[in-house]
Amino acid sequence: MARGLNSDSVARNGKIVILTLIVFATFALYTLKLFTLQGVEGESYQRQSRTISSQVNTIPAQRGEIFVQNDPLPIVTNTDSFAVDLTPAEIPVGHYDAVANRLAKFLGITKREIDRKVPARMRRSYSQIEIRVNIPFSTVADIAENINDLPGVSWRSKPIRNYVETGSISHVIGYVGDITKEEINVMYNHGYKANAIVGKTGIEKQYDSLLQGVPGRESRTVDVRGHIIDDTPIIEPPQMGKNLVLTINTRIQTLVEKTLGERVGAALVLKPSNGEVLALVSYPFYDQNLFNNDDASAQYNKLATSPNNPLLNRAVNAVYPPASTFKTIMAAALLAENAFPPEKKIECNGRIDYGGRRFNCHVRWGHGKLDLKNALAQSCDVYFWVTGRDNLGVDRISSYSKEFGFGQPLGIDLPAQSDGFVPTAQWKERRYHSTWLGGDTMNMSIGQGYTLVTPLHVANMMAMVVNEGKIYRPHLLKEVRDPATNEVIEETKPQILHESNIDTAVWKEVQQDLRYVITDGTPQYPMNNKKIKLAGKTGTAEVNGAKKDHWHSWMVAYGPYDAPVEEQLVVVVLVEAVNEWEWWAPYATNIIFQGIFQNQTYDEAITELGFKYLQKARARAE
């Protein structure tokens, strides 16, 4: 009996020992874990705690305003507007559809649009999702009055860009939009965030870093799930971006825009003594304010697929054969190289047979015998075919073309621009595996063939003549100003882009010959101006695939011819072959000079020049 009791006692003591060991082992494990959490991993958890306990929201900075040099009021401003956000996790379970339906009615959109921005996988997220922008205060007020029925809905100030001046200046200013994933990959290291508004084209893009400003910060204390614990935020106010003053003169810009009219093409006014661009027009153009709404992507696609592409800046991005404006370079090259005596005459019978092909001058019956001055004035193709092929050659023509800035970067402060193209014999051999022929040189000598330029290249060419060997970098930015004090922070200084070693005597002779073009040459009637002495060159470019009797129409001129260089301006007009032929470029150039220097509107200028009949004829044709 005693042996049985002892056996039970031993068994109970064994169980007690085992239980005690389990308790001690468990306690030891918890002690070890606590030590690990506090000692080993404590710093890591403290960092995480600090991270999740502080919710930081960015306060966007207002973009700097944009001005022009002749107006104290900005042409690009910021308009107060609101964005409405939705925080899905703050909506009670099972109430998402009801809230989304109510919000859709306030915003004037469908619930489907909200669902697209808040897919099912994100409906327990505490992230704020932007539902709609450019919301007026009245809509925000209505939402605020019904906020008890709209859990998770919030709003914030989000100024939008207001383009006061639209029309042709759209190609200069450009527009802004939400940063894309591709852009953030490139710009993240420069401080750009996922919700940034950035310049997409024009000045808005070129000087985005100046216009951006410095965002502010709003910090709040939140729990691990993102709920706000402390309603009192810590705010670092944003700093507005810098203000920009452009070289554009809106009076001249409007004059040029009206003069070009609804003709597909481009026109610009350049100050050759310092490179300032006073007007830059490309038609068709667009209204940048179209991109301020939620359907910005649809608006862009519509413009991008429109006939004649309104988004294309034809003044600096599109390329064309320079046509007979190129004969300005040919004249300078012949004189500088002493390649052919300027007084020696070549007879033009209206055509040349060469290499099994007939080349016809634009005057089929011929010009007769012409020296350099009269060949330039009458734009005789035969004269330049012969001297280009037999006296200059492709290498020297290419070299002088580049000296005048053709085939070179424009240097203008816009994000997209074409360098144009100047061919060489070696290029043709590599590109087409064929030999450069004399006929190629003949085509190149009159600005046809492979040579391609923008209107700004042609303006730079004439600026080289005006400045007697210098081209200044064309630019649109005049000043950078502090938005608070209006103090000038930075001013654009003239910068030489190209410089030539051609003798001054050559430039003087080319200037005289270009003046003779206006007084006695092909454009003497459309360019006749009793108040302003002008010099320049026409051009008519053949275009493959164009309709019969359709050509690109060029005119490049400078004036007043007898004024100091600092007072002279260069004007270029290009009318594309898609328009009905009316030889408008020289008429338009004369109107622009008349309007600028006589301080006249387009209507006043055409009346004084006697061009009213052209307006009436066009109206009848339309």
Side-chain angles (χ1 to χ4, degrees), residues 264-266 282-283 312-323 420-421 447 450-455 458 541 543 552 554 574-577:
V264 177
S282 176
Y283 184 85
L312 175 65
N313 184 345
R314 287 169 163 80
V316 297
N317 292 346
V319 291
Y320 310 87
F421 183 70
Y450 302 112
T451 305
L452 294 172
V453 297
T454 68
V458 175
V543 183
H552 293 326
W554 283 100
L574 166 78
V575 180
E576 283 192 11

Side-chain angles (χ1 to χ4, degrees), residues 56-61 213-219 234-239:
V56 179
N57 293 322
T58 299
I59 305 174
V214 180
R217 291 160 56 91
E218 180 186 64
S219 302
I234 299 173
I235 295 178
E236 297 176 25
Q239 300 175 29

Side-chain angles (χ1 to χ4, degrees), residues 306-363:
S306 295
N308 297 320
N309 193 358
L311 296 174
L312 175 65
N313 184 345
R314 287 169 163 80
V316 297
N317 292 346
V319 291
Y320 310 87
S324 291
T325 65
F326 189 78
K327 293 170 184 174
T328 304
I329 297 177
M330 291 291 294
L334 287 166
L335 292 168
E337 292 290 320
N338 292 313
F340 191 82
E343 70 281 358
K344 187 175 180 178
K345 295 182 179 181
I346 292 176
E347 185 170 5
C348 170
N349 294 316
R351 64 184 182 273
I352 287 181
D353 292 320
Y354 181 80
R357 175 185 167 191
R358 173 160 291 184
F359 293 78
N360 292 308
C361 188
H362 70 91
V363 175

Side-chain angles (χ1 to χ4, degrees), residues 547-568:
K547 298 177 184 177
K548 184 180 180 181
D549 298 330
H550 281 58
W551 302 272
H552 293 326
S553 175
W554 283 100
M555 185 72 214
V556 55
Y558 73 93
Y561 176 76
D562 52 353
V565 173
E566 293 75 20
E567 299 175 15
Q568 293 179 334

